[in-house]
Amino acid sequence: MTTTEIDNNTGLVTQEYKINMGPQHPAAHGVLRLVLTLNGEIIEKVEPDLGYIHRGIEKMTERDTYKQIVHLTDRLDYLSSHINNEAVCLAVENALEIEVSDRVKVIRTIIGELTRLASHQLWWGVMGMDIGALTTFMYAFRDRELINDIMEETCGTRLTMNYNKPGGLMFDIHPNFQKRVKEFIKQFKVSLPEYNTLLSGNVIFKKRLQGIGYMSKEDAIAYGVSGPSARGSNISCDVRKIHPYSAYDKVDFKEILIEGGDSYDRYMVRMFEMEESMKIIEQLIDNIPEGDFETKTSAILKLPKGEYYQKVESARGEFGVFIVSDGKKSPYRMKFRSPGFANLSILDKISRGHKIADLVAIMSSLDFVIPDIDR
Amino acid sequence: MTNTELQTLMSSWMDGLEFADEGVQHLTITVGKENLRNLMLKLRDGEGAFDYMFSLTAVDWGKERGMVYHLESTKHRHIIVVHVTTDDEVLDSIHDIYPTAILNEREAFDLMGITFNGHPDLRRLFLQDDWVGHPLRKDYVDEANMIVR
Amino acid sequence: MYDFSKITGAIHNWLSSIMPDLGVIITEWVLIGVVFLAFFALLGLILVYAERRIAGFFQFRLGPNRVGPFGMFQTVADTVKLLLKELVGTKEADSFLYNLAPYFLIIAALMSMAVIPYGFNLVAYDVNIGLFFMMAVSSIGVIGILLAGWSSNNKYSMIGAIRSSAIIISYELSLGLSSVLAMVLLAGTLNMNEIVMSQQAGWWLFRGHIPAIIAFIVFIITGTAETNRVPFDLTEAESELGAGFHAEYSGIKFAFFFLAEFVNMFIISAIAVTVFLGGWLPIHIPFWDGFNGIMDYIPGPIWFMIKTSIVIFILMWFRWTFPRLRIDQVLTLEWKYLLPISLVNLILMAFVVMMGWVF
C-alpha cells in the first residue's frame, strides 16, 4: 500500500496507519521503540528505532582496564549479568593464558545456570503478562526471589553480580551456598510443573502462540538468531555444547531442540531449558572441587597484540566478546556481540501479516532485553 | 575442515586473499574491498558452508577503517574471520547475503561512519539523526560527554 | 418473604399526605436517585477492594492491608486521590465528546441497575419488559467507549474502541438474543420480578434441563466479554495498547470508566442470578423442611448479594487465571461457536417448553 490512496469514485482517503510502539510501552520491556505500519490491526511493517538506552559502552571500554570492563558488561544484558562477566573474563584469561582452578570453573557454571534460571523465570512471568495472564508474574517472582537471595549472600548483589574477575572470582562462595541452592532446586522442582499447569497447557495461551511468528531454519541462521529462539527452529546453536567453556564439558545435559519454529516452540524450549539448568546444577553442586577461588593477577592486565573472540551462551543466546588489542592496558577496540540485537533484526520479517497482539507475543517469545540491544 | 584445507579451498576461488593462521585464534582472511561480496557469496554457498555470521565489527585501524566479520558454519562448526579495510570509508553492503548485516551495517555507519553501497536503509541507528561525528572513531572528540583517561 | 412494597408504599403515602402529586413524584425521583448513586459508589468501592484482595489471594500476596482494618479504606483513599487529581487531557481531543464519553458508561450502568430486583418488590423501576429494557440500556455503554476512543485523538485509543465495539456488538447477540431469551421462554415473562417469582419451585438453572445449563455457560462467557474483562479485555489490553480507550483520561473521568467496568460486572452477575439462580429467593433443598424454614429467615436482599458475590468471584477468578484472546479469536468464538450453539439451544429450549418437560 502506498502512503495515501484516494478512491476515485467516492473521494475517500485511505492513509497508512502508523503507530509508535514505545519507547514507553508495557510490552517493550524497556525503551524499545517500534514504528508499526498497520492495515487495520494487521502489521505491514515493523521498524525498530533504537538508541534510547545507548550508553556507548564499546567506546567506554577503550579507556578502561580489562578489570574495569568486566563491570560494564553487567549493564548490557542485566538478566544474564554473570554470564556476560564470564565472557570477558574468559576472553582475557585465554589471551593471557591464565589457568583458573576447577573450583572457579564449577562455581562459575553453577552461578551461570542460576542466572539463566532467574532470567527464564522473569521471562516466563513477563511472557504471561504480555499475553494477558497477570498471575504468572507473581509466580515467577516468588521463585526468582530465592535465586536473588542466594546471589545476594554469595556475590553481594542481587542482579548485577560482578562476581567474576579475570583470574577467578571476587571471593569464595558463602558457607550456606550449597545448602540454599539445594533448597531452591527442591522448591523449583515443585514450581515448574505449576508453571506448566497455569500457562503452558492453557488453551487460550496455545492458540495465541501456535503458528505465530514462524521462523524458518534458514532465515534464523541468516539473520544470526541464536539461543533458545533459534533452538525453537531446530538449529543446534548451544555454545555450551559446541564450544564448551568453564565446566560445561564435564556435565551431562541435553540441548533442547524443537522443530516447529513458531512462538510456542520458542516458549517450550525455554521451559525445557529450565529443567536442563536444574540438572546441570544438581550434577555440580555436591562436587565443587577444593582449590583456590582466584589466580593472582597483576592489577593492570595487558593483552598481547592481536584479536580475541570469546563466545558464551547467555540466557538469550550467543553472547560474544571481540577484543582487538594493541598491547596496552585498554583494548584498542572491543565489540560485544549481543544476542538481542541479532534476534531483533528478524522481528520485522516474522511479524508481518500478524496482528498487534501477535507482535507482543512474538516479542516476548524472542525475549528482548533492551540495554543488551542498545549497548 | 581444518584451517589448511579451508585455505586451499579459498585460494582456489580468487587471488589476493591474505591468510593468517599462526598466532591467531581463528583462521583470518584479509580481502580487498572489491572482492568482498564475491568472497562472501562463495563462503556462504561454497563448500565451507559458512551460513552463520555471528559478529560484524567496525574497527578504526588509524589510517583506514574496516570491518571484521566473524563467520561460523552451522554444519561443520568451523569459524573464520574476514578482514576488509577501506581508505575512502565506502564498502559494499552484504545485507542480501547475510541479512543480519542490515542492522549491523547501520550500526557501523552510525558509530564508525562507514558507508555501505547498496544498503536499503542506511540511517543512524542509535544516535540522533543530527548527531555530528561518529563516536567509535579514534579521532572523535566530545568534550561534554567523554571522559578521557 | 418480606414484601418491600410495604416500606415503599408507606413512604409514598406519607409523601402524598404532605405535598401535591407532582412534588411527590419529584421527591421520589430524587430519593431513588440519591439511594442508587450511593449504592453505586459503595458498590464500586467494595468491588474494587474485593478484586484487589482476590487478586492477592490468587497471587499469594496480601493485597491492600494497611489503610484501615484489612485495608478496607484503601479504595476510599484511592477515590479521594482520584477526585483530587488534576484532569489532564489532550489538546487535540474533541473536547465535547471527550468529556461526554464517561457519562455514557456511567448512565448506562446506572439505568440498568434500576430494573434489578434486589428483594421482593424491591425494584426501582418495575417494568413489564424489565429484561429487555436492561439489555437495551446496557448497550448504550459501547457508545461511550467508542466516543472515548474516537475523541481522544489517540491511535491506541482508537484501536481499543474499535475492538470494543466489534466485541460488544457481536456478543450482544448471544447474550441477549439467545441465552437470556431461552430463559425467558422458560419463565414466560420479561418482568424481572416475575422471573424471580417463577423460580419459587426451584432455580431455572436446574429446572431447565441441559438447555438451561448451556444457556448459563454461554451467558457467563458472553457476560465476561460484555464487561470487557479478561480473557476479553482487548479494549484495554494493557500489554498491547497501554490502556486502550481510556488512555487519555485521568482523575475522576478515568474513575468513571473504572467504576463503570466494575458496576457492569455487578450487573451481569445480577442478571445471571436473577434469571438462572433464583434471584433473591433463599436456597431451598427439596424435603429438607427444617433447613428451608431457617433459610427463609434470611432476608431476600442478603440472598441476592450472596449469590451475586459468588458469580462475581467466578468472573474475578477468570481474570486472574486466563490469558487474553486475540481479536480475531474473540470474534471467531462468537460467530462460529457461541451464536450457533445458543441459537440451537434456543430451539431446544422452545421444544422443552412446548412439551412441558419442566419440573
Side-chain angles (χ1 to χ4, degrees):
Chain A
M1 197 167 89
T2 52
T3 318
T4 311
E5 274 178 10
I6 301 172
D7 192 308
N8 288 333
N9 299 325
T10 56
L12 289 174
V13 181
T14 313
Q15 274 183 318
E16 257 180 359
Y17 201 59
K18 279 201 172 185
I19 63 172
N20 265 317
M21 206 167 193
Q24 271 89 36
H25 188 278
H29 303 182
V31 281
L32 176 65
R33 175 171 169 236
L34 299 172
V35 183
L36 311 182
T37 309
L38 300 177
N39 178 11
E41 278 225 18
I42 295 165
I43 293 164
E44 299 204 321
K45 201 172 167 198
V46 181
E47 289 169 87
D49 181 13
L50 306 174
Y52 287 89
I53 191 164
H54 177 68
R55 294 146 296 177
I57 284 186
E58 285 172 12
K59 185 73 180 173
M60 274 195 251
T61 57
E62 289 174 18
R63 55 141 219 247
D64 286 353
T65 65
Y66 289 99
K67 287 195 171 176
Q68 287 170 327
I69 290 167
V70 175
H71 308 305
L72 286 176
T73 56
D74 276 353
R75 275 78 190 169
L76 291 167
D77 176 358
Y78 48 80
L79 289 177
S80 36
S81 48
H82 179 89
I83 304 172
N84 297 352
N85 293 164
E86 198 176 347
V88 179
C89 294
L90 287 170
V92 173
E93 283 159 12
N94 288 345
L96 289 172
E97 289 165 359
I98 301 171
E99 260 315 297
V100 297
S101 66
D102 284 350
R103 184 179 179 80
V104 174
K105 287 182 182 169
V106 169
I107 293 172
R108 276 181 181 174
T109 310
I110 294 173
I111 297 201
E113 288 309 308
L114 282 175
T115 315
R116 190 184 317 279
L117 273 174
S119 166
H120 281 1
Q121 281 166 351
L122 186 110
W123 156 82
W124 180 79
V126 173
M127 173 111 205
M129 283 240 289
D130 282 348
I131 306 294
L134 300 164
T135 304
T136 58
F137 193 68
M138 294 293 162
Y139 272 67
F141 266 65
R142 173 192 62 179
D143 298 324
R144 188 168 171 270
E145 197 63 23
L146 300 172
I147 296 185
N148 280 348
D149 287 345
I150 296 170
M151 297 296 186
E152 189 177 8
E153 206 173 51
T154 289
C155 316
T157 335
R158 293 162 70 83
L159 191 67
T160 50
M161 273 90 81
N162 282 329
Y163 190 45
N164 277 316
K165 66 177 181 186
L169 305 168
M170 283 288 179
F171 23 74
D172 211 350
I173 49 169
H174 193 273
N176 283 343
F177 180 71
Q178 279 158 302
K179 195 183 91 201
R180 293 191 69 160
V181 170
K182 277 185 227 162
E183 275 169 13
F184 161 74
I185 296 284
K186 206 175 146 201
Q187 153 74 29
F188 194 53
K189 283 210 160 148
V190 183
S191 307
L192 194 57
E194 270 180 13
Y195 287 17
N196 284 321
T197 343
L198 183 64
L199 201 59
S200 316
N202 189 301
V203 183
I204 301 175
F205 185 71
K206 278 187 175 171
K207 288 259 174 202
R208 279 295 303 276
L209 291 187
Q210 280 170 346
I212 300 302
Y214 172 71
M215 180 155 71
S216 72
K217 191 173 175 176
E218 292 71 33
D219 279 345
I221 295 174
Y223 278 87
V225 179
S226 59
S229 311
R231 291 198 280 280
S233 300
N234 201 18
I235 300 164
S236 168
C237 61
D238 198 330
V239 182
R240 295 175 292 173
K241 279 274 184 205
I242 297 162
H243 308 286
Y245 54 97
S246 290
Y248 285 111
D249 47 351
K250 296 195 193 80
V251 289
D252 170 42
F253 67 102
K254 271 209 315 261
E255 181 183 2
I256 308 294
L257 291 173
I258 297 181
E259 266 182 40
D262 61 15
S263 299
Y264 191 70
D265 295 313
R266 295 194 279 275
Y267 168 87
M268 285 317 286
V269 167
R270 289 194 178 85
M271 296 309 278
F272 288 128
E273 226 171 58
M274 286 200 255
E275 283 171 22
E276 295 302 316
S277 291
M278 282 200 286
K279 252 195 240 167
I280 296 173
I281 296 171
E282 276 182 327
Q283 286 170 40
L284 295 175
I285 191 68
D286 282 323
N287 308 317
I288 302 179
E290 294 298 317
D292 286 335
F293 65 87
E294 61 172 349
T295 310
K296 289 274 180 253
T297 51
S298 58
I300 288 174
L301 300 168
K302 286 182 181 170
L303 262 60
K305 209 169 172 196
E307 292 172 12
Y308 309 94
Y309 193 92
Q310 176 67 44
K311 45 163 88 180
V312 296
E313 180 77 13
S314 92
R316 253 140 228 98
E318 183 182 321
F319 179 79
V321 178
F322 178 52
I323 303 173
V324 181
S325 172
D326 58 350
K328 300 212 178 80
K329 67 181 169 66
S330 314
Y332 182 76
R333 169 84 166 91
M334 195 158 181
K335 154 97 181 176
F336 297 109
R337 190 268 182 207
S338 65
F341 193 66
N343 293 2
L344 178 71
S345 62
I346 203 172
L347 182 68
D348 179 36
K349 189 174 175 71
I350 63 176
S351 53
R352 282 191 188 193
H354 289 306
K355 301 196 168 50
I356 301 173
D358 295 330
L359 177 71
V360 174
I362 293 169
M363 275 165 67
S364 262
S365 77
L366 290 172
D367 192 13
F368 295 133
V369 165
I370 312 307
D372 177 41
I373 297 172
D374 276 4
R375 280 161 291 160
Chain B
M1 277 190 259
T2 62
N3 285 353
T4 333
E5 281 168 11
L6 281 171
Q7 218 165 314
T8 339
L9 175 71
M10 280 166 215
S11 312
S12 70
W13 289 342
M14 62 187 74
D15 299 330
L17 297 178
E18 285 174 41
F19 298 95
D21 63 345
E22 294 291 316
V24 291
Q25 206 178 356
H26 307 293
L27 177 64
T28 306
I29 308 160
T30 310
V31 63
K33 65 173 177 173
E34 62 286 348
N35 278 336
L36 175 67
R37 278 183 62 86
N38 221 341
L39 176 71
M40 285 297 175
L41 270 172
K42 290 224 162 78
L43 281 175
R44 186 188 67 176
D45 301 328
E47 257 175 85
F50 290 96
D51 46 0
Y52 176 40
M53 175 175 279
F54 58 89
S55 175
L56 296 87
T57 314
V59 188
D60 182 358
W61 296 108
K63 286 197 296 291
E64 47 192 13
R65 301 187 173 85
M67 293 290 287
V68 180
Y69 302 99
H70 285 75
L71 296 110
E72 185 172 354
S73 162
T74 52
K75 199 164 144 207
H76 308 296
R77 290 295 163 198
H78 43 222
I79 296 175
I80 56 162
V81 185
V82 177
H83 277 233
V84 60
T85 52
T86 164
D87 43 10
D88 58 356
E89 284 159 22
V90 179
L91 278 175
D92 285 334
S93 170
I94 54 158
H95 77 274
D96 47 344
I97 308 170
Y98 293 103
T100 183
I102 297 174
L103 281 186
N104 277 294
E105 283 179 352
R106 274 182 71 184
E107 184 195 339
F109 168 73
D110 186 1
L111 302 178
M112 194 63 86
I114 300 172
T115 312
F116 291 91
N117 278 335
H119 191 285
D121 184 26
L122 202 61
R123 288 177 291 135
R124 282 194 182 269
L125 182 65
F126 293 132
L127 305 178
Q128 296 144 23
D129 291 337
D130 55 354
W131 192 275
V132 181
H134 300 282
L136 277 181
R137 289 184 179 184
K138 288 287 172 187
D139 56 2
Y140 178 76
V141 191
D142 182 345
E143 281 172 3
N145 297 315
M146 259 169 66
I147 302 164
V148 183
R149 289 204 187 107
Chain C
M1 65 192 82
Y2 185 77
D3 188 354
F4 284 91
S5 59
K6 284 181 195 160
I7 299 177
T8 48
I11 295 172
H12 178 77
N13 290 338
W14 176 67
L15 284 175
S16 309
S17 66
I18 55 169
M19 58 178 77
D21 280 355
L22 186 66
V24 171
I25 290 169
I26 290 171
T27 318
E28 283 174 355
W29 280 358
V30 170
L31 271 179
I32 290 170
V34 167
V35 167
F36 266 82
L37 274 177
F39 181 59
F40 192 81
L42 195 67
L43 205 62
L45 290 184
I46 293 169
L47 285 174
V48 173
Y49 173 74
E51 173 99 317
R52 293 175 67 178
R53 288 298 285 203
I54 287 171
F57 168 67
F58 280 115
Q59 303 179 337
F60 20 73
R61 38 186 194 96
L62 291 170
N65 60 16
R66 291 299 161 97
V67 188
F70 305 105
M72 280 208 250
F73 298 131
Q74 181 67 53
T75 42
V76 180
D78 286 347
T79 315
V80 173
K81 182 203 78 175
L82 282 172
L83 283 168
L84 295 178
K85 259 181 116 170
E86 186 191 353
L87 292 172
V88 185
T90 48
K91 197 177 156 194
E92 297 294 316
D94 183 335
S95 66
F96 176 68
L97 296 180
Y98 175 79
N99 290 321
L100 186 69
Y103 299 102
F104 265 96
L105 269 106
I106 282 288
I107 287 170
L110 255 176
M111 278 166 85
S112 338
M113 280 172 73
V115 290
I116 298 171
Y118 300 92
F120 184 45
N121 280 342
L122 187 62
V123 48
Y125 183 41
D126 193 8
V127 61
N128 57 357
I129 52 160
L131 206 51
F132 180 71
F133 175 84
M134 192 147 172
M135 290 295 151
V137 160
S138 62
S139 320
I140 297 176
V142 68
I143 299 176
I145 293 178
L146 205 50
L147 280 186
W150 174 261
S151 63
S152 301
N153 200 6
N154 175 324
K155 289 179 175 178
Y156 280 109
S157 304
M158 183 68 193
I159 295 173
I162 287 175
R163 280 180 179 187
S164 169
S165 44
I167 294 170
I168 292 186
I169 290 168
S170 17
Y171 275 77
E172 199 78 31
L173 285 169
S174 286
L175 180 83
L177 256 182
S178 319
S179 65
V180 171
L181 196 59
M183 303 317 288
V184 169
L185 275 180
L186 207 54
T189 172
L190 279 165
N191 184 313
M192 300 283 268
N193 234 337
E194 284 171 26
I195 291 175
V196 176
M197 294 306 284
S198 66
Q199 299 182 63
Q200 269 176 324
W203 300 352
W204 285 130
L205 180 61
F206 301 125
R207 282 168 65 203
H209 299 286
I210 294 163
I213 292 170
I214 295 173
F216 183 67
I217 294 168
V218 171
F219 182 86
I220 290 291
I221 296 172
T222 49
T224 320
E226 284 284 288
T227 47
N228 291 326
R229 287 178 67 82
V230 174
F232 304 97
D233 70 332
L234 307 112
T235 36
E236 289 176 43
E238 174 84 30
S239 57
E240 294 153 27
L241 305 180
F245 68 94
H246 61 60
E248 297 291 353
Y249 287 86
S250 67
I252 191 67
K253 285 187 218 158
F254 164 73
F256 276 4
F257 285 116
F258 197 57
L259 198 62
E261 184 198 319
F262 279 91
V263 173
N264 277 330
M265 182 169 66
F266 172 80
I267 290 166
I268 287 291
S269 310
I271 302 177
V273 168
T274 310
V275 176
F276 294 94
L277 301 176
W280 43 264
L281 289 169
I283 289 176
H284 277 184
I285 296 169
F287 315 118
W288 287 24
D289 290 336
F291 176 81
N292 293 347
I294 296 166
M295 290 297 121
D296 282 342
Y297 277 102
I298 301 174
I302 292 183
W303 275 116
F304 179 80
M305 284 300 169
I306 291 173
K307 289 175 184 174
T308 315
S309 311
I310 291 168
V311 180
I312 288 175
F313 177 75
I314 293 172
L315 292 184
M316 287 181 176
W317 194 347
F318 287 171
R319 169 152 185 187
W320 298 107
T321 311
F322 287 138
R324 184 186 306 122
L325 284 159
R326 204 169 55 216
I327 180 72
D328 59 325
Q329 291 170 339
V330 171
L331 297 180
T332 312
L333 177 70
E334 162 64 15
W335 293 103
K336 287 197 181 159
Y337 300 98
L338 291 180
L339 190 61
I341 286 174
S342 47
L343 283 175
V344 170
N345 191 44
L346 184 64
I347 297 166
L348 206 64
M349 180 63 94
F351 188 69
V352 167
V353 174
M354 192 178 75
M355 302 302 281
W357 285 348
V358 182
F359 289 119

